[in-house]
Amino acid sequence: MKIAILPGDGIGPEIVEQAVNVLQALGEKFELETAPVGGAGYAAHGHPLPEGTLKLAKEADAVLFGAVGDYQYDSLERALRPEQAILGLRKNLGLFANLRPAILYPELAGASTLKPEVVSGLDILIIRELTGDIYFGQPRGVRIAPDGAFKGEREGFDTMRYAESEIRRIAHVAFQAAQKRDKRLTSVDKANVLETFQFWKDIVTEVHKDYPDVALEHMYVDNAAMQLVRAPKKFDVIVTGNMFGDILSDAAAMLTGSIGMLPSASLDANNKGLYEPSHGSAPDIAGKGIANPLATILSAAMMLRFSLDKAEQAERIENAVKKVLAQGLRTADIYEAGTTKVGTKEMGAAVVKALG
Ligand code: IPM
Ligand code: MG
């Protein structure tokens, strides 16, 4: 089994190093190959997603991704910016299904900015469509407005669109995920305003006929944002489009107190996937050895479960993470009085030790 390791920028290399250590401690025969991506790809080969990196990602059975982005690349033209690497990988590998679980570990209930009773025991799964919507819709750009009240003025524009098959396939992923959980699915849309999302709602309702055992509700995105902070435990699985999913998943992440704990999986139609922490490259703390490696380590566990058919090894990792939390070990982002503050390397080493 070949795993492409793409550490990227900022804290990416530090946290990925710890996840690799954990993978190597499992006693499996993985072939690991590393390649530069994001700002690191631009620095090495003049492009955020160098040809060799894309080739490696395509031929591997799974991709472990760190994070991309750094201040020094902010002034590059859009096509060369680090973010294009992750967008390009999603599109080129057909990774249309993004799974972002938000789980609150009981030991971390105090780390949330919400009252503990609102979030303790939280276990929700956000499924975000990842290769369509306004993120990729054409045409887009800046032009001279051809008509309307602002005719002749410069305007920026993007196109929101979803094809029927795109909605159907993500709906199937979501209903099937709900079947394996509490059998409740919330489809988030903006059908009261947007044609694209009235269509989304209609298609999800049709796909529901194949899954009569799952309870489906529809919710407008503004209400969903409110319900997520009001009573997040009422949700089981949420499915939504690319743009709304981007926003809601950050909100959901913060319910758990630290975005440093949350893994994610981006899957294609055959469960090949890219696995990355839900957080970004955090250039402000890069190289300081204080970043939380647990989201990346938990992403490696998701990789074992979804792409490499090694559910037992995934559980070993997840149990090891629970064990180090129970031991009171905390990186700075989840530190509270009475616990033990550790750095990135110590946290990774503790997980390796806890694998048993
Ligand atoms: C995410 C990120 C990306 C996105 C950026 C880095 C392009 O915010 O994975 O949520 O918007 O999808
Ligand atoms: Mg985001």
Side-chain angles (χ1 to χ4, degrees):
M1 279 169 293
K2 184 161 179 169
I3 305 173
I5 308 286
L6 311 185
D9 310 318
I11 58 171
E14 301 162 59
I15 54 180
V16 165
E17 183 187 337
Q18 298 312 312
V20 165
N21 288 346
V22 171
L23 281 172
Q24 282 172 334
L26 294 174
E28 299 273 347
K29 284 202 188 91
F30 297 127
E31 188 192 329
L32 308 178
E33 197 176 326
T34 303
V37 76
Y42 177 76
H45 301 286
H47 195 278
L49 183 55
E51 242 173 73
T53 303
L54 179 58
K55 185 168 168 281
L56 170 66
K58 278 186 172 165
E59 70 191 23
D61 297 297
V63 179
L64 185 65
F65 189 92
V68 292
D70 210 335
Y71 310 125
Q72 67 196 102
Y73 305 109
D74 279 355
S75 56
L76 288 173
E77 60 173 288
R78 180 172 304 282
L80 296 178
R81 281 195 219 153
E83 293 75 20
Q84 294 305 314
I86 186 65
L87 295 171
L89 281 165
R90 289 171 182 171
K91 200 66 180 173
N92 277 289
L93 301 183
L95 307 172
F96 69 89
N98 185 215
L99 276 48
R100 297 191 168 183
I103 293 172
L104 185 73
Y105 294 87
E107 294 90 349
L108 302 183
S112 176
T113 49
L114 275 77
K115 294 192 185 105
E117 64 267 28
V118 175
V119 290
S120 68
L122 180 83
D123 179 358
I124 64 182
L125 174 63
I126 297 194
I127 299 188
R128 168 189 176 194
E129 199 291 329
L130 205 55
T131 49
D133 204 353
I134 197 166
Y135 265 59
F136 291 97
Q138 293 290 347
R140 57 187 280 161
V142 176
R143 64 180 174 188
I144 303 295
D147 47 32
F150 300 99
K151 186 177 177 182
E153 202 181 305
R154 284 202 305 157
E155 68 174 4
F157 68 106
D158 295 273
T159 303
M160 177 176 274
R161 56 162 297 286
Y162 263 122
E164 181 173 346
S165 60
E166 285 181 292
I167 304 171
R168 278 189 191 279
R169 65 182 181 180
I170 194 72
H172 280 289
V173 170
F175 280 112
Q176 284 164 23
Q179 279 183 325
K180 292 189 198 126
R181 295 172 46 105
D182 202 30
K183 301 191 168 52
R184 290 180 297 117
L185 177 63
T186 306
S187 172
V188 171
D189 62 57
K190 190 70 188 175
N192 51 344
V193 178
L194 301 171
E195 300 296 334
T196 311
F197 275 90
Q198 178 62 55
F199 184 56
W200 169 284
K201 185 174 176 178
D202 294 344
I203 299 299
V204 172
T205 303
E206 271 181 47
V207 176
H208 185 207
K209 292 186 189 131
D210 293 351
Y211 303 90
D213 55 328
V214 176
L216 171 67
E217 75 172 331
H218 301 280
M219 196 180 278
Y220 296 142
V221 63
D222 48 350
N223 186 26
M226 180 169 74
Q227 299 306 331
L228 262 180
V229 287
R230 193 183 74 89
K233 284 191 269 183
K234 290 206 173 143
F235 292 103
D236 178 24
V237 180
I238 294 174
V239 65
T240 190
N242 205 346
M243 179 86 255
F244 300 154
D246 178 45
I247 300 166
L248 292 182
S249 62
D250 264 29
M254 207 50 220
L255 299 174
T256 71
S258 173
I259 198 165
M261 295 297 301
L262 300 181
S264 80
S266 304
L267 306 175
D268 75 0
N270 305 309
N271 287 335
K272 171 170 171 174
L274 179 147
Y275 299 82
E276 59 175 323
S278 282
H279 60 72
S281 57
D284 51 324
I285 60 163
K288 294 191 178 157
I290 59 171
N292 186 346
L294 293 178
T296 315
I297 289 171
L298 291 166
S299 298
M302 284 186 98
M303 175 172 80
L304 290 162
R305 177 171 294 114
F306 290 111
S307 289
L308 304 179
D309 206 18
K310 300 227 171 265
E312 266 174 45
Q313 296 285 31
E315 258 170 58
R316 265 182 86 195
I317 295 179
E318 286 157 356
N319 288 333
V321 168
K322 286 182 194 152
K323 210 158 150 188
V324 301
L325 292 175
Q327 286 163 1
L329 303 186
R330 303 282 187 274
T331 41
D333 56 316
I334 50 174
Y335 175 76
E336 285 176 279
T339 60
T340 311
K341 199 185 278 184
V342 296
T344 311
K345 287 198 164 123
E346 290 163 280
M347 186 59 109
V351 175
V352 167
K353 199 166 161 215
L355 284 173

